[in-house]
Amino acid sequence: EAQVTQNPRYLITVTGKKLTVTCSQNMNHEYMSWYRQDPGLGLRQIYYSMNVEVTDKGDVPEGYKVSRKEKRNFPLILESPSPNQTSLYFCASSYLGTGMYDEQFFGPGTRLTVL
Amino acid sequence: KQEVTQIPAALSVPEGENLVLNCSFTDSAIYNLQWFRQDPGKGLTSLLLIQSSQREQTSGRLNASLDKSSGRSTLYIAASQPGDSATYLCAVRAQGGSEKLVFGKGTKLTVNP
């Protein structure tokens, strides 16, 4: 089954304790992206990757890191989480083409609470 | 800067009614437009994708239209059911740069039995 998986689905942590949210897709997509969703602000892009070893900042990258060592995986790293990073996080992936762009597939989300 | 607006923010209708959700965007330089459904606290389910060269797409009781030149899209839901209750999000895939999806804030739909 074609899918984007994220782990963990729920996480409660404390300020300053490093954490990683994993994202994996099995569709051989070049493009992967992280979004966060906050009430009243909607979904905003954090980081994206066009392919292996190619990553770049989105609209709200502060406090986050990513890596793309393999095509299927795109982990989101919070090295020193703070309460303002409490949010619902989504990973997404899609093909990249010329002209026609395929739909983005989303993972189930990770609800993060930073105390 | 691309901005996406969805009106109304909330809509309540009786079961069986046909309804239209609206989405507008400020920059016509898009690759495609995607409609999603989100249940409370859940993930995003893709409903329909319209490429920039297309005018509409249909899936079951759903029909989405796109008028790129005017920066508008509509999602038409026929014969609404209580199970359609959810938040509907519109997103455009912006050309250039991050290729990101720019989302509207959604329309929360309630279908009353």
Side-chain angles (χ1 to χ4, degrees):
Chain A
E1 180 191 353
Q3 60 182 347
V4 179
T5 57
Q6 294 179 228
N7 282 293
R9 296 288 314 280
Y10 303 91
L11 179 61
I12 300 175
T13 189
V14 296
T15 299
K17 185 175 182 182
K18 181 179 179 179
L19 66 93
T20 300
V21 183
T22 64
C23 172
S24 183
Q25 50 92 6
N26 62 1
M27 295 167 278
N28 203 35
H29 287 162
E30 298 92 355
Y31 183 87
M32 297 186 75
S33 180
W34 277 101
Y35 297 85
R36 62 178 285 175
Q37 185 177 33
D38 302 289
L41 297 176
L43 282 118
R44 296 173 293 168
Q45 189 184 52
I46 304 170
Y47 267 95
Y48 67 97
S49 170
M50 298 285 198
N51 215 324
V52 176
E53 302 292 1
V54 181
T55 64
D56 210 341
K57 297 176 182 178
D59 295 323
V60 288
E62 294 77 21
Y64 304 95
K65 285 177 56 177
V66 293
S67 68
R68 187 93 182 269
K69 294 184 170 55
E70 304 166 284
K71 198 171 186 179
R72 64 183 293 127
N73 296 323
F74 190 45
L76 179 70
I77 303 156
L78 286 73
E79 296 219 324
S80 183
S82 62
N84 65 11
Q85 293 178 297
T86 293
S87 187
L88 181 57
Y89 290 87
F90 290 103
C91 180
S93 72
S94 76
Y95 290 114
L96 275 180
T98 54
M100 301 283 276
Y101 282 76
D102 212 340
E103 65 185 295
Q104 285 199 21
F105 292 83
F106 280 75
T110 294
R111 185 167 292 281
L112 172 65
T113 301
V114 183
L115 301 175
Chain B
K1 178 187 172 187
Q2 178 74 266
E3 292 182 0
V4 178
T5 303
Q6 292 185 247
I7 295 173
L11 180 64
S12 182
V13 301
E15 181 177 3
E17 191 161 298
N18 302 325
L19 59 100
V20 173
L21 306 180
N22 296 295
C23 172
S24 62
F25 48 96
T26 56
D27 188 344
S28 62
I30 65 169
Y31 289 122
N32 57 42
L33 183 145
Q34 217 169 328
W35 281 94
F36 294 88
R37 168 189 172 134
Q38 186 176 30
D39 294 289
K42 303 291 187 182
L44 301 172
T45 301
S46 181
L47 298 173
L48 288 164
L49 171 75
I50 310 178
Q51 300 291 352
S52 63
S53 59
Q54 298 174 326
R55 296 285 293 183
E56 66 179 305
Q57 283 287 337
T58 298
S59 175
R61 293 184 293 109
L62 305 179
N63 176 277
S65 69
L66 174 64
D67 184 342
K68 199 174 76 161
S69 60
S70 68
R72 295 179 188 277
S73 176
T74 61
L75 179 66
Y76 174 82
I77 302 177
S80 58
Q81 303 169 356
D84 294 330
S85 298
T87 295
Y88 290 81
L89 295 164
C90 163
V92 297
R93 189 153 197 180
Q95 289 187 7
S98 71
E99 313 287 335
K100 66 183 177 186
L101 284 178
V102 180
F103 284 84
K105 291 188 168 61
T107 294
K108 184 176 181 180
L109 173 66
T110 303
V111 181
N112 301 301

